[in-house]
Amino acid sequence: MLAAGGGVGAANTPPGGAPPRAPPPPHAVVDAFGPGVLTADGRLDRPKLGALVFADDDKRATLNAIVHPLVRARSVELESAAGEEDIVVHDVPLLVESGLTGLYDMVVVVDASPGTQLDRLVRLRGMAESEARSRMAAQATRERRTAAADLVIDNDGPLEKLEPQVRAVWERLVERAAADG
């Protein structure tokens, strides 16, 4: 099993494909945070929820207590369905902060400098600078994330340079799995 994590600004799309769609929000999230965390069509308003939980440690802990058991159950389900030759990749936001690195055979961190993170949150995600800084402050430092990594992908440059690096890491993982197999 592999965990891929990164700070804000990390690209989360695997080579050649889109990430799986998130399921509808669990009722417990709405119960804990109110219907204001839903969009008009009933889906989770991730930016709104993020603004709430990254500004308040207690709210973030509440969300984690709701989401982590569901995510772990789904991870176990997917891992159980995988064949021995398969590579299972988990994209784990806040991996280091949650102390979960020990659950994985390998940890890959997509790394960007705080300046790049701030720029991307403000320019690409439309966050206010204060909200972006609050979100960044709630995350592990760059040093903690990279220290936890077995492999680090540099995401400090233009986004178009990211995909070739991800493909190269994927090839290394496939080679490693074949050698272990």
Side-chain angles (χ1 to χ4, degrees):
M1 288 169 295
L2 163 78
V8 289
N12 294 324
T13 304
R21 291 185 57 102
H27 294 293
V29 173
V30 176
D31 291 346
F33 298 100
V37 298
L38 298 177
T39 61
D41 63 355
R43 289 194 278 177
L44 188 61
D45 187 331
R46 294 175 64 89
K48 189 176 280 185
L49 182 60
L52 287 173
V53 302
F54 280 105
D56 184 310
D57 290 343
D58 291 336
K59 288 180 181 176
R60 191 168 52 258
T62 297
L63 180 63
N64 287 343
I66 295 166
V67 173
H68 286 184
L70 298 172
V71 169
R72 189 66 197 138
R74 179 66 175 142
S75 292
V76 168
E77 181 182 320
L78 292 170
E79 291 164 14
S80 297
E84 282 190 37
E85 71 285 350
D86 292 331
I87 297 171
V88 179
V89 177
H90 298 269
D91 182 4
V92 185
L94 306 176
L95 175 73
V96 174
E97 297 83 346
S98 300
L100 300 175
T101 58
L103 296 176
Y104 303 97
D105 298 326
M106 178 175 271
V107 174
V108 177
V109 169
V110 180
D111 178 58
S113 69
T116 298
Q117 292 176 3
L118 182 63
D119 171 66
R120 289 180 181 164
L121 287 170
V122 172
R123 186 173 46 86
L124 301 178
R125 293 195 189 174
M127 286 186 190
E129 185 173 330
S130 61
E131 181 183 348
R133 287 186 185 281
S134 173
R135 185 169 295 207
M136 291 169 60
Q139 296 181 349
T141 64
R142 182 180 198 186
E143 293 76 20
R144 273 189 63 208
R145 284 192 311 272
T146 57
D150 297 295
L151 292 171
V152 177
I153 297 173
D154 177 23
N155 191 16
D156 220 16
L159 289 174
E160 55 271 5
K161 293 196 176 195
L162 182 61
E163 186 173 343
Q165 292 181 77
V166 172
R167 288 189 185 282
V169 166
W170 180 253
E171 289 169 12
R172 283 181 64 182
L173 296 174
V174 169
E175 289 171 9
R176 178 182 171 196
D180 291 347

